[in-house]
């Protein structure tokens, strides 16, 4: 495949990652208004919001099969259309039950699109022979930041129905433009090459386990799924609890408390933008181990710091550390077993994002919120240890490229 075609393909896939983050963030900022419209209590709304998670988890494994049958490019475009259309549905509901049902559709589009576009990215990475997965996830992060910022600006000017309908139209337009390029371009042919030393999960002779043992490949996919789960646990916990920790435990002003997650998300985007260079310099195992260790140290500071500004510094370091763990885990799972590996690792990861917020809440009730937040540091350290252990199981030490 010509270099120009690969560049076009990379641009198209990047657009879908940005679309995913932009639309999802736009929906999130309108949840309070939709809660008021349905008249749901906090508890009932929480049950309705589980529709997003249930729809996503139920669809992820199915999407792996769809990618194998119809191709990851066509599947990505179809699910982007579904995801874009479904974001307009929540403000049309008048009850929590109806909201939960339409969120099943929204979650199906979100979860399926994540598997399909990551599968397309894995194919491209194999052809480029460069670890560019973090750049795609940076596009998701930046799209999410843009969607949240725009949603915050227009929340007081436009109704949820108008806002999310416009968001759906933007999504459909972007899906049409990027989708035309994605469908027109063929799936790139991987360039055969032995994995470099330092690639987590590589066999000593340079073959992936998937090349010699299907069961070994599946076990390694589970390993990368565990790394994704540990990472997503931290992301979910930070999204739901960072602001409350700053407000409740450190007496931060509302504006400063709201900046807690923003600082974390911004540093995740920065870390992902530099992720390819980091992977090329350090290799995958060192990147995973360094990232998990950094995130663990940062979250210990963020959770236990005696001042607001030290806590914000800790959140920033945590975001920088976690930034590349999820992209690398998904890329390696996809390289091992294709779309099914992406689907399995993504399902693990999404499970971690679901587990994080309620686990933090339960522990905070029994202990304290700062103590509960240290579990983010614990799981980041687990991710680093798992990555190091996988290297030791079948591969000598890293050699920077």
């Amino acid at each position: 495949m010509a270099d120009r075609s690969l560049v076009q393909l990379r641009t198209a896939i990047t657009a879908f990652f940005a679309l995913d983050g932009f639309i999802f963030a736009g929906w999130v900022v309108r949840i309070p208004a939709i809660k008021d419209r349905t008249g749901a209590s906090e508890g009932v709304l929480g049950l309705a919001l589980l529709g997003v998670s249930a729809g996503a988890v139920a669809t992820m494994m199915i999407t792996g099969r769809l990618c194998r049958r119809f191709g990851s490019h066509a599947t990505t475009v179809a699910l982007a259309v579904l995801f874009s259309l479904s974001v307009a549905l929540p403000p049309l509901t008048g009850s929590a039950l109806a909201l939960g049902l339409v969120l099943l559709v929204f979650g199906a589009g979100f979860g399926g699109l994540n598997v399909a576009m990551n599968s397309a990215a894995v194919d491209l990475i194999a052809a480029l022979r460069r670890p560019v997965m973090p750049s795609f996830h940076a596009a998701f992060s930046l799209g999410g930041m843009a969607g949240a910022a725009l949603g915050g600006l227009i929340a007081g000017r436009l109704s949820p129905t108008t806002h999310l309908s416009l968001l759906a139209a933007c999504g459909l337009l972007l899906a049409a433009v990027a989708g035309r390029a994605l469908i027109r371009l063929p799936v790139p042919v991987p360039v055969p090459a032995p994995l470099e030393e330092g690639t987590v999960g590589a066999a000593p002779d340079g073959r992936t386990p998937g090349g010699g043992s299907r069961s070994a490949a599946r076990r390694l996919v589970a390993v990368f799924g565990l790394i994704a789960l540990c990472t997503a646990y931290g992301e979910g916990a930070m999204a739901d609890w960072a602001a409350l920790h700053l407000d409740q435990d450190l007496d931060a002003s509302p504006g400063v408390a709201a900046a807690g997650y923003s600082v974390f998300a911004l540093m995740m985007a920065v870390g992902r933008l530099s992720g390819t260079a980091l992977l090329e310099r350090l290799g995958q195992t060192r990147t995973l181990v360094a990232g998990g260790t950094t995130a663990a140290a940062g979250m210990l500071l963020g959770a236990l710091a005696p001042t607001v500004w030290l806590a914000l510094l800790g959140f920033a370091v945590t975001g920088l550390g976690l930034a590349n763990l999820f992209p690398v885990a998904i890329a390696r799972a996809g390289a091992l077993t294709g779309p099914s590996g992406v689907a399995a690792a993504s399902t693990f990861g999404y499970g971690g994002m679901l587990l994080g917020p309620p686990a933090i809440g339960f522990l905070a009730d029994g202990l304290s919120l700062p103590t509960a937040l240290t579990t983010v540091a614990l799981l980041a350290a687990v991710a680093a240890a798992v990555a190091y252990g996988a290297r030791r199981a079948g591969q000598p030490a890293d050699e920077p490229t």
Side-chain angles (χ1 to χ4, degrees):
M1 196 172 183
D3 289 346
R4 181 179 179 184
S5 296
L6 291 176
V7 171
Q8 292 174 339
L9 184 56
R10 184 175 179 180
T11 301
I13 295 172
T14 299
F16 280 102
F17 274 84
L19 178 153
D20 190 36
F22 184 74
I23 289 180
F24 191 80
W27 142 251
V28 167
V29 300
R30 300 316 299 253
I31 290 176
I34 292 172
K35 173 183 178 296
D36 292 341
R37 178 164 295 195
T38 60
S41 66
E42 283 78 3
V44 173
L45 177 66
L47 290 175
L49 291 175
L50 283 176
V52 179
S53 307
V57 171
T59 308
M60 281 178 168
M61 295 306 296
I62 298 173
T63 304
R65 301 189 188 99
L66 292 175
C67 288
R68 288 194 299 272
R69 180 168 183 177
F70 300 107
S72 57
H73 292 187
T75 305
T76 295
V77 176
L79 287 167
V81 170
L82 172 63
F83 184 50
S84 298
L85 288 172
S86 64
V87 77
L89 298 178
L92 303 180
T93 60
S95 68
L97 176 60
L99 177 62
L101 292 174
V102 301
L103 288 180
L104 283 171
V105 181
F106 180 74
F110 176 69
L113 177 58
N114 273 271
V115 171
M117 66 188 184
N118 273 290
S119 297
V122 166
D123 292 334
L124 177 60
I125 290 167
L128 290 173
R129 290 180 57 188
R130 291 191 66 211
V132 297
M133 183 64 90
S135 68
F136 295 121
H137 287 258
F140 174 85
S141 298
L142 294 172
M145 292 172 65
L150 181 62
L153 287 174
I154 65 176
R157 298 175 175 84
L158 296 178
S159 68
T161 302
T162 302
H163 174 200
L164 295 185
S165 295
L166 289 173
L167 199 62
C170 290
L172 290 172
L173 179 61
L174 182 57
V177 174
R180 182 180 178 185
L182 193 61
I183 292 176
R184 176 176 56 83
L185 294 167
V187 175
V189 178
V191 178
L195 289 174
E196 299 171 17
E197 292 185 11
T199 300
V200 180
D205 62 0
R207 295 179 294 107
T208 65
S213 169
R214 189 169 295 181
S215 62
R218 285 197 294 265
R219 286 195 296 271
L220 275 171
V221 166
V223 167
F224 291 113
L226 178 59
I227 292 172
L229 183 152
C230 292
T231 306
Y233 177 97
E235 290 188 55
M238 289 297 297
D240 284 19
W241 295 103
L244 183 62
H245 170 56
L246 293 173
D247 172 66
Q248 172 183 290
D249 301 313
L250 297 175
D251 296 321
S253 67
V256 173
Y261 180 71
S262 298
V263 167
F264 169 81
L266 175 61
M267 293 311 293
M268 281 201 79
V270 170
R272 287 172 171 175
L273 287 171
S274 59
T276 296
L278 190 66
L279 284 163
E280 290 178 330
R281 182 173 181 83
L282 298 180
Q284 290 177 355
T285 300
R286 288 181 179 176
T287 299
L288 289 172
V289 172
T293 304
T294 299
M299 198 60 218
L300 284 176
L301 176 61
L304 304 177
T307 67
V308 170
W309 302 112
L310 280 176
L312 288 174
L313 175 62
F315 291 166
V317 172
T318 303
L320 199 61
L322 291 180
N324 294 306
L325 271 65
F326 191 90
V328 171
I330 297 298
R332 286 298 301 128
L336 286 164
T337 59
S340 62
V342 174
S346 298
T347 303
F348 268 94
Y350 206 79
M353 191 167 287
L354 295 179
L355 175 66
I360 295 292
F362 178 78
L363 291 171
D365 284 341
L367 300 170
S368 68
L369 182 53
T371 302
L373 286 172
T374 62
T375 59
V376 174
L378 175 62
L379 287 187
V382 168
V386 168
Y388 185 75
R391 177 202 66 87
R392 293 188 65 185
Q395 178 64 29
D398 283 8
E399 290 293 333
T401 59

